[in-house]
């Protein structure tokens, strides 16, 4: 016979909720990156609007930076409460 799962603390529930929210944001950032890269390819292929291509390149760089920062600050950050 299996034992019931142990009760989760309010802190654990809050951490799981925060991780879920961050995951949702990262998913949206990934979608935005994919879409921006596709758009840049189309704009560069057309060759008409150089400024749009440059702006999309900047947006891609910024989104990659935001994704990296959010990932590092949430998933790989040390738990300062233990220090």
């Amino acid at each position: 016979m299996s034992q019931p799962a142990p009760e989760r603390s309010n802190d654990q529930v809050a951490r799981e909720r925060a991780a879920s929210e961050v995951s949702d944001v990262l998913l949206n950032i990934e979608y935005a990156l994919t879409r921006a890269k596709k758009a840049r390819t189309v704009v560069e292929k057309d060759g008409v609007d150089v400024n749009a291509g440059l702006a999309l390149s900047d947006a891609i760089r910024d989104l990659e930076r935001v994704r990296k920062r959010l990932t590092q600050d949430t998933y790989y950050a040390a738990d300062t409460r233990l220090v």
Side-chain angles (χ1 to χ4, degrees), residues 8-25:
R8 295 179 303 157
S9 70
N10 289 338
D11 191 48
Q12 288 171 319
V13 171
R15 285 182 184 278
E16 290 170 11
R17 187 171 38 244
S20 176
E21 292 295 329
V22 168
S23 178
D24 289 347
V25 171

Side-chain angles (χ1 to χ4, degrees), residues 20-45:
S20 176
E21 292 295 329
V22 168
S23 178
D24 289 347
V25 171
L26 285 170
L27 183 64
N28 283 303
I29 291 170
E30 287 297 328
Y31 174 75
L33 267 169
T34 300
R35 188 63 190 97
K37 289 175 182 178
K38 183 177 179 181
R40 181 181 61 184
T41 300
V42 169
V43 168
E44 288 177 348
K45 181 181 173 193

